[in-house]
Amino acid sequence: MTELALDASRSRVRIQTFAEGLFARLAHDLELVCGELSGSATRTASGTGSAVVSAPLRGIEVGGVVEHGRVDASRLSSSDRRDIVDKMQREVFHAAASSSLTIEATLQGSSARLRITLPNGRRTDASATALLREEDGSVATSGGFSLSLSDIGSDVIKGPMGAFRVKDRVEVVFDLVFTPKG
């Protein structure tokens, strides 16, 4: 069994949210980027493995507006970004910026079973696609999964007078790199 540590400088987790409703065209589809990641993993000779990744809420930032599959970082002001992150902490996670969420993954082949533990202790399960590859002595994995906001206990996130709301399902995309410990 190989013990690995997450290389946060080479890893990235992105969350994409999408607006729906009568005035959804007035809202923004967003990409949030999770920073300050930490974690570890184990890998067996047969290729199976497990990982634990922690994402502190203080490390989540707005990457930009998603439009036609591209992220535009210039469309939001600094105050809009702060408001979005503040609303996410209050209405999605019901937790302070000092809190973290943890994802435990068990990898088998090209899929992973996930157990997501939220700052409030609530847990939910998900499945992810995962592509594993060797890179210069490191193990990299890329993939994604959908997550239901209602499953994690999120309030319904909506605009003024209910003109639009964030869809219940968000997409999480990850590119993680683990290096041998020691």
Side-chain angles (χ1 to χ4, degrees), residues 15 20 25 32 62 72 93 100 111 117 120-121 125 129 131 141:
I15 303 166
E20 65 182 1
R25 291 186 333 180
L32 305 172
V62 178
D72 183 350
F93 295 112
S100 294
S111 64
T117 304
N120 63 7
D125 296 324
T129 58
L131 173 64
T141 183

Side-chain angles (χ1 to χ4, degrees), residues 52-93:
V52 176
V53 176
S54 180
L57 297 186
R58 72 176 171 270
I60 298 176
E61 298 178 348
V62 178
V65 173
V66 177
E67 195 168 57
H68 308 295
R70 303 191 76 174
V71 178
D72 183 350
S74 68
R75 297 256 316 263
L76 298 170
S77 69
S78 295
S79 65
D80 286 341
R81 291 170 184 271
R82 281 191 304 275
D83 290 346
I84 291 165
V85 169
D86 182 56
K87 191 170 193 169
M88 182 231 14
Q89 289 172 354
R90 276 191 338 266
E91 297 180 19
V92 175
F93 295 112

Side-chain angles (χ1 to χ4, degrees), residues 106-130:
T106 304
L107 181 68
Q108 291 189 321
S110 63
S111 64
R113 289 179 313 181
L114 308 175
R115 165 65 51 103
I116 302 158
T117 304
L118 299 149
N120 63 7
R122 188 174 182 149
R123 292 183 173 170
T124 189
D125 296 324
S127 296
T129 58

Side-chain angles (χ1 to χ4, degrees), residues 26-47:
L26 302 176
H28 299 297
D29 293 341
L30 299 173
E31 180 170 277
L32 305 172
V33 179
C34 301
E36 300 183 35
L37 301 171
S38 62
S40 61
T42 59
R43 185 170 182 211
T44 65
S46 65

